[in-house]
Amino acid sequence: MKPQLADSVFIRACRREPVPHTPVWYMRQAGRSLPEYRRVREGVEMLTACATPDLVVEITMQPVRRYGTDAAIFFSDIVVPLKAIGVDLDIKPGVGPVVGTPIRDKAGMEVLRPLEPDDVPYVTEAVGALTGELGGTPLIGFAGGPFTLASYLIEGGPSKNHDRTKAMMYGEPELWHELMERLGAITLAFLRVQVAAGASAVQLFDSWVGAVAPQDYRTYVLPHTSKIFAGLADLGVPRIHFGVGTGELLGLMGEAGADVVGVDWRVPLDEAALRVGAGKALQGNLDPAILLAPWEVVERRARDVLERGRVAEGHVFNLGHGVLPSTDPDQLARLTGFVHESSAR
């Protein structure tokens, strides 16, 4: 990592080092709320956009230019590595990832071969171009966590209750662990490609893992997630772990080996710090819907997040999930400025 990146406020906060102000970036900051994003994506399917380096660079840069965030998040999708190894899937607008042939037995798993860097040349190209353009602003690489990927593959698409997923997890544990093993290896390879190309940090989004009870997380998910974080340790980049509805899992998510635990909006950060325990930074956690309220409300709630975040050993300000499509970009620009100014040490 370049010295200027290692000294950036975002990387320092991830490492629990002193910072001049609380760094801020937003999940889904490069996305549907930006008119410039909608313009460049017009008529371009999501997976095509993710495989077009020029588009990836432009979309990743848009929020950094507009908001002055302290980090950029690589524009991609959690199913990109699955598509790259030949899984029959597509992202349907308004629905999400849809899998042509769901994986529900051992034979179905054969499609999940290891990911090689040559499978995703567009990722290497885009990350390389971005690190040149971003200068001293770190780029966060990302991937989907194995439970979330498994759920899409088993259900065939988004699911409310993850019932088929849990049926395999509880009823066919050997099959489940083999699936998670393969997905964990693909995820690790995908993250390593991004870091090798120049990403300064990585985030593992296990979006739907909050559907699992703590004892089941420990048995069926934690070993695989831990292997991913352990497999990144030699790269020396901060590792962030985030899931939605994971209040009951925060301690276990900390145990998995990340340097930073992302917290959704349901648990106040001072409480989250107690659950996660010592030796970790926290990221979060303003409710994205608060940005739809008048500025006075946003300011009050953001101040509260910053106050509670002081309890943590390191704090990266973020939303508790992704930016909502109906968010006014001016609110986010104002929020970024507010976080920087009001947290200045």
Side-chain angles (χ1 to χ4, degrees), residues 25-34 67 288-289 291 318-319 321-329 332:
W25 69 277
Y26 307 110
M27 289 183 274
R28 275 200 219 124
Q29 62 186 18
R32 295 163 295 179
S33 63
L34 287 176
Y67 305 137
L291 289 162
N318 206 314
L319 304 180
H321 197 197
V323 176
L324 297 168
S326 53
T327 306
D328 176 355
L332 278 171

Side-chain angles (χ1 to χ4, degrees), residues 246-252 254 266-278:
T246 48
E248 297 301 322
L249 304 177
L250 288 172
L252 289 162
R266 295 169 176 88
V267 180
L269 286 180
D270 46 356
E271 170 61 27
L274 294 173
R275 295 187 190 186
V276 171

Side-chain angles (χ1 to χ4, degrees), residues 130-172:
L130 274 164
T131 50
E133 207 161 315
L134 282 162
T137 303
L139 177 68
I140 304 166
F142 91 91
F147 177 87
T148 298
L149 295 178
S151 177
Y152 282 124
L153 289 172
I154 296 165
E155 306 288 345
S159 166
K160 201 172 174 189
N161 299 316
H162 311 279
D163 36 6
R164 286 179 182 273
T165 307
K166 289 183 174 185
M168 183 192 289
M169 189 173 84
Y170 296 135
E172 300 178 84

Side-chain angles (χ1 to χ4, degrees), residues 15 37 42 57 69 84 108 140 142 144 187 215 217 222 225 233-234 244-245 252 256 260 264 275 280 297 318:
R15 293 193 165 142
Y37 169 81
E42 206 171 324
V57 172
T69 50
I140 304 166
F142 91 91
T187 296
Q215 77 247 38
Y217 181 92
L222 183 62
T225 309
D234 64 306
V244 185
L252 289 162
V260 184
D264 81 1
R275 295 187 190 186
K280 307 284 172 191
V297 181
N318 206 314

Side-chain angles (χ1 to χ4, degrees), residues 22-343:
T22 301
V24 55
W25 69 277
Y26 307 110
M27 289 183 274
R28 275 200 219 124
Q29 62 186 18
R32 295 163 295 179
S33 63
L34 287 176
E36 55 266 44
Y37 169 81
R38 292 197 292 269
R39 271 199 299 278
V40 299
R41 270 292 312 281
E42 206 171 324
V44 183
E45 291 186 349
M46 180 65 176
L47 287 171
T48 305
C50 292
T52 309
D54 293 356
L55 263 182
V56 172
V57 172
E58 169 58 22
I59 292 168
T60 303
M61 290 301 299
Q62 286 174 349
V64 181
R65 290 188 207 119
R66 193 188 260 259
Y67 305 137
T69 50
D70 297 288
I73 177 92
F74 187 64
F75 175 74
S76 186
D77 189 273
I78 64 169
V79 298
V80 164
L82 299 179
K83 183 75 173 176
I85 60 167
V87 176
D88 175 18
L89 59 79
D90 200 11
I91 296 175
K92 293 215 161 41
V95 180
V98 176
V99 178
T101 311
I103 294 176
R104 292 174 186 160
D105 54 27
K106 197 162 173 62
M109 231 179 282
E110 292 315 304
V111 68
L112 298 176
R113 65 169 176 82
L115 177 87
E116 306 293 340
D118 293 349
D119 293 321
V120 286
Y122 43 87
V123 169
T124 302
E125 189 185 325
V127 171
L130 274 164
T131 50
E133 207 161 315
L134 282 162
T137 303
L139 177 68
I140 304 166
F142 91 91
F147 177 87
T148 298
L149 295 178
S151 177
Y152 282 124
L153 289 172
I154 296 165
E155 306 288 345
S159 166
K160 201 172 174 189
N161 299 316
H162 311 279
D163 36 6
R164 286 179 182 273
T165 307
K166 289 183 174 185
M168 183 192 289
M169 189 173 84
Y170 296 135
E172 300 178 84
E174 275 181 32
L175 189 64
W176 171 261
H177 284 296
E178 187 183 337
L179 177 59
M180 291 288 277
E181 190 85 28
R182 287 185 187 224
L183 291 172
I186 291 163
T187 296
L188 174 57
F190 190 55
L191 289 170
R192 289 190 70 93
V193 164
Q194 293 172 68
V195 177
S200 306
V202 292
Q203 174 154 314
L204 187 70
F205 284 85
D206 214 347
S207 313
W208 308 138
V209 80
V212 176
Q215 77 247 38
D216 295 326
Y217 181 92
R218 185 177 287 286
T219 305
Y220 300 110
V221 183
L222 183 62
H224 306 285
T225 309
S226 298
K227 206 175 272 190
I228 294 168
F229 287 126
L232 297 165
D234 64 306
L235 301 177
V237 299
R239 298 156 296 173
I240 309 167
H241 193 12
F242 173 76
V244 185
T246 48
E248 297 301 322
L249 304 177
L250 288 172
L252 289 162
M253 287 171 73
E255 266 179 54
D259 305 290
V260 184
V261 176
V263 184
D264 81 1
W265 68 93
R266 295 169 176 88
V267 180
L269 286 180
D270 46 356
E271 170 61 27
L274 294 173
R275 295 187 190 186
V276 171
K280 307 284 172 191
L282 297 185
Q283 178 175 284
N285 72 339
L286 188 73
D287 186 336
I290 285 169
L291 289 162
L292 309 180
W295 171 251
E296 307 73 74
V297 181
V298 178
E299 184 179 341
R300 188 174 72 243
R301 298 294 288 264
R303 195 185 300 281
D304 184 61
V305 169
L306 287 167
E307 284 293 323
R308 293 173 188 276
R310 290 211 175 103
V311 174
E313 294 177 34
H315 178 212
V316 175
F317 188 96
N318 206 314
L319 304 180
H321 197 197
V323 176
L324 297 168
S326 53
T327 306
D328 176 355
D330 292 343
Q331 287 277 62
L332 278 171
R334 200 168 173 185
L335 176 59
T336 309
F338 173 77
V339 169
H340 286 160
E341 287 155 31
S342 66
S343 67

